[in-house]
Amino acid sequence: MVEINTLVVAASCTSESSSKTVELPRVSSKDFHARRGTIVGLRNVVIKLTDCTPMLDKITLSVSGLADEDLPSMFKNTASSQESAIGVGLIFMDSKRKVQFNPDGSVTKTYKPDAQNNAVMDFIAGYIATRDEVIPGTFKSYVTMRYDYE
């Protein structure tokens, strides 16, 4: 008789932290040139996943958040003060600018862990004019990342 004991675990990775704060650069309302869709103040964002389960084939990422009322494909400025910027939202895309994530979570991107069972995800975040007129003020936005492991 042979007795075999094992434990079946769910595939996963360890995130460097449960949350990350990214400071976008200060910009002037004039930088938007009074034109909806103008993108300024881009900043690189790097998310590192480590200790991924060996034999993990892929990680599918989806991003979600609150949609801007004027440009629903962009993330909303959630700054709550009366001095918050108006007419500006957040654009969030992969570092090659080929995949632009939408607040509704409908856009995904797939990553493959490297030989050391880590995955590095590079993104770009920035401001986007959601109206022709941008009124200066404070800015804050949130994106939620969901990882599906296969």
Side-chain angles (χ1 to χ4, degrees):
M1 177 169 100
V2 176
E3 181 178 332
I4 299 174
N5 295 311
T6 188
L7 175 64
V8 177
V9 298
S12 67
C13 300
T14 302
S15 179
E16 60 187 336
S17 68
S18 61
S19 66
K20 183 172 193 141
T21 300
V22 176
E23 294 288 332
L24 294 179
R26 281 185 181 223
V27 296
S28 167
S29 59
K30 292 180 182 180
D31 294 339
F32 293 97
H33 304 293
R35 197 169 77 222
R36 182 178 189 217
T38 301
I39 299 169
V40 299
L42 296 176
R43 175 75 35 107
N44 291 327
V45 179
V46 178
I47 303 292
K48 296 176 186 174
L49 300 179
T50 60
D51 303 319
C52 296
T53 305
M55 306 304 285
L56 179 64
D57 186 41
K58 66 181 180 177
I59 303 162
T60 302
L61 170 72
S62 62
V63 176
S64 62
L66 295 175
D68 183 87
E69 291 89 3
D70 297 310
L71 195 56
S73 60
M74 298 300 124
F75 294 85
K76 178 180 182 169
N77 178 6
T78 60
S80 59
S81 75
Q82 291 180 328
E83 298 175 3
S84 64
I86 297 172
V88 63
L90 178 80
I91 186 167
F92 194 76
M93 57 193 144
D94 74 327
S95 63
K96 294 184 172 142
R97 300 181 188 197
K98 291 184 179 179
V99 177
Q100 181 181 307
F101 295 98
N102 294 330
D104 66 5
S106 63
V107 176
T108 62
K109 182 168 169 85
T110 302
Y111 296 86
K112 185 165 181 56
D114 62 22
Q116 290 75 40
N117 297 319
N118 300 317
V120 177
M121 302 175 179
D122 294 312
F123 306 99
I124 297 173
Y127 305 103
I128 184 166
T130 59
R131 297 180 182 177
D132 286 336
E133 180 184 8
V134 171
I135 298 171
T138 59
F139 184 86
K140 182 185 281 190
S141 190
Y142 294 93
V143 296
T144 300
M145 296 182 163
R146 175 187 164 136
Y147 308 107
D148 290 315
Y149 303 102
E150 294 180 41

